[in-house]
Amino acid sequence: MTLVVNNVVPGASGRVLEGPCGPRKSQLSIARLGIYGFLIMAALFFLMPFWVMIVTSLKTLPEIREGNLFNWPSDPTFEPWIKAWFSACTGRDCNGLQPGFWNSVKITAIATVVSITIAAINGYALSFWRYRYANLVFGILVFGAFVPYQVVIYPLIITMRELGIFSTLLSIVLVHSIFGMPILTLLYRNFFASLPMEMFKAARIDGAGFWQIFFRIMIPMAVPITIVAIILQLTGIWNDFLFGTVFAGRQNMPMTVQLNNIVQTTTGVREYNVHMAATILTAAVPLIVYFISGKWFVRGIAAGAVKG
Amino acid sequence: MNMSEHSVSIRDLTLDYGNTRVLENLNLDIEQGEFIVLLGPSGCGKSTLLNCIAGLMDISDGQIHIDNRNVTWEEPKDRGIGMVFQSYALYPQMTVEKNLSFGLKVAGYKKDEIQRRVARAAEILQMEELLQRKPVELSGGQRQRVAIGRALVREAKVFLFDEPLSNLDAKLRSDLRVEIKRLHQRLKNTMIYVTHDQIEALTLANRIAIMKDGVIQQLADPHTIYNKPVNLYVAGFIGSPSMNFFQGTLQTGDETCFVTDSGTHIPTSSYQFARASSDSCSAVLGIRPEHIIAGEGARGMPFSTRVEIEIVEPMGSNTLVWTRVADQAVTFSCDSDQLLAPGQSIDIGFDPARGSLFDAESTLRL
Ligand SMILES: Nc1ncnc2c1ncn2[C@@H]1O[C@H](COP(=O)(O)OP(=O)(O)OP(=O)(O)O)[C@@H](O)[C@H]1O
Ligand SMILES: [Mg+2]
């Protein structure tokens, strides 16, 4: 064994290198400890209610009445979950959350695809095909992003009624698509505007037209921004309550509205365990999206950071 | 008048961006196989002109003819042009091969024809082993080669280059410059090349068009541009280090003579006047640093004087020396083997015939 005195080590070249050498050793400083401490506290703060919801949903009603809010159930049961999904009652119907879930899937899927498709085309046209009123159109769209929903709901209801599509799947999809448009168009326009104009010109010289440039050059590059758009729309539309209540109608009631109806039903005892299970089920989709997307998000951004 | 001979002919071209007029009544005729360089300062409208030729911009007035066809209203793809951009503008998600073949696929060429053309371009530009790489995996020089290849596969009659080398470092730039010259000698098609690097312009061009504020100042071969600039602007723009200028008066009489403001007489009898001028007028005499001779040879020149050296700048191949003549700062270059020091006195001289005289008012060459 070589004798190492006073942090003086013979280097590869035979020279003796004194003082700091090589990569810096990472240290757990006080500031870092503080940050971790804060993060752990914040996580606990938000996880606590979630913990309560989970344990409550697994308890029987008598056990809930005992009041030990944080305890793990003595005899865990999935009965409340099954009830929430298949047979919880909203008024006279006792079909559980299940129909609402499928309604939400339909609404979210269609509206997400429709709004993203149109917004991508919009953003592309606005940044590359600078037609005459492009700036005006863009200005109106941006303005649209700041209009509070409540202001337009009543006129929209009347419009839908006149069109004869009020309380249909079409109307709720339409409303979500329209309201997603400003922010998504903004997103895509800014993304496309950050691409070099010269690439677009090169494609034009290569003979590609409006759609060929869009599908073969722009869309493959827009993958990261599309992932962002999908996350925005998926969670936004799934979590929506207001439009669902107003426009969807009984047939297409989304999961959030149905959850509310289940929780608000006042006949008989309040089944806290079923309510908790129903709430977790409703929140599950955005939660899963967030969990999965975190990874994809980073991957998508990294893959997209390709400047030719 | 035979106008149908030109490879590219731009007639009375005018272009406005909204209310600002960038190009006005611009005329330019380019011969088949010619290498034309558009040279000018930033913002003078070089890229705009190139974009107009390519059809990427709607022009306000005038006509553009390519290969004896009026293409003014035609789409870029139908004009028979290939274009190379400063930022390479490669499609980042496609491999080099796909980048090269994209335009051909869009145009509906057969597979073996596409393969033949891609292979040929790859051979000419020596990038066969790069074909399966993506643009991110290439160096700047390789990317620009791919961009040139993309223009090559189109087998276009006319190539347009918009500052293709200005994103590269000095070494690569001179390598690729030679490669472009070689390409032109091999393909012999018309090339229009935009740059603001005068070395590129002087080395590559058959003819250089010097532009300023959307107007072509002079269109001539590099030798003429360098030795007989038509006006003060061109004289000052071309040449590095730039030309020395003396303000003064041109005295006509038995012998024309240029008198500087400080009273120094410089005989100009050997000067070839572009236009006969009868009256004396205020004028500017320009002389290039390379045309000033220092040391023994200076005495034999039509004009010579003894000066004190102020600053010495060794540039490697030669040395740039700063001094004063007739109360004006003057630079001249001399052999780098000559040992010079500030404060030292030296004889310098020049032949005004190698210089340029300009009318001080109109700034035109006399
Ligand atoms: N989209 C535009 N809208 C308005 N004016 C523009 C636009 N593009 C260019 N211009 C103006 O037109 C003039 C010419 O621009 P151009 O890009 O042709 O210059 P350039 O000679 O290529 O310069 P550089 O060497 O910097 O590339 C400039 O004054 C510029 O401000
Ligand atoms: Mg330019």
Side-chain angles (χ1 to χ4, degrees), chain A residues 113-129 184-185 187-189 191-192 195 199-204 207-223 225-226, chain B residues 91 93-94 102 106:
Chain A
V113 170
V114 169
S115 58
I116 289 181
T117 307
I118 298 176
I121 297 170
N122 266 349
Y124 159 69
L126 279 169
S127 41
F128 288 115
W129 299 84
L184 289 183
T185 303
L187 202 68
Y188 273 99
R189 197 206 81 113
F191 175 76
F192 286 130
L195 297 178
M199 193 166 61
F200 169 77
K201 288 181 174 174
R204 286 243 289 151
F210 185 95
W211 294 110
Q212 271 169 322
I213 297 177
F214 180 67
F215 284 114
R216 299 178 66 169
I217 293 171
M218 297 303 164
I219 287 299
M221 274 193 293
V223 170
I225 207 72
T226 303
Chain B
Y91 313 127
Q93 77 284 5
M94 298 186 194
F102 178 73
V106 169

Side-chain angles (χ1 to χ4, degrees), chain B residues 108-168:
Chain B
Y109 280 96
K110 290 226 174 60
K111 252 213 171 92
D112 40 341
E113 173 67 8
I114 294 177
Q115 234 156 29
R116 184 189 69 75
R117 290 194 184 192
V118 169
R120 176 169 171 270
E123 183 262 315
I124 291 175
L125 296 166
Q126 296 167 5
M127 52 181 197
E128 283 104 335
E129 71 286 354
L130 303 179
L131 284 178
Q132 297 314 319
R133 299 221 200 141
K134 292 255 180 92
V136 260
E137 300 159 348
L138 302 177
S139 70
Q142 290 170 330
R143 281 181 209 178
Q144 198 52 285
R145 276 220 291 270
V146 177
I148 293 172
R150 200 166 50 179
L152 265 185
V153 294
R154 298 180 57 76
E155 300 193 345
K157 289 259 168 58
V158 179
F159 274 21
L160 309 175
F161 293 89
D162 192 352
E163 309 201 22
L165 308 183
S166 54
N167 277 2
L168 306 175

Side-chain angles (χ1 to χ4, degrees), chain B residues 43 46-48 86 162-163 194:
Chain B
K46 307 178 298 281
S47 302
T48 308
Q86 177 179 352
D162 192 352
E163 309 201 22
V194 164

Side-chain angles (χ1 to χ4, degrees), chain B residues 161-180:
Chain B
F161 293 89
D162 192 352
E163 309 201 22
L165 308 183
S166 54
N167 277 2
L168 306 175
D169 63 55
K171 169 89 177 74
L172 258 178
R173 203 180 305 169
S174 58
D175 288 353
L176 231 68
R177 198 172 67 208
V178 176
E179 216 161 306
I180 288 176

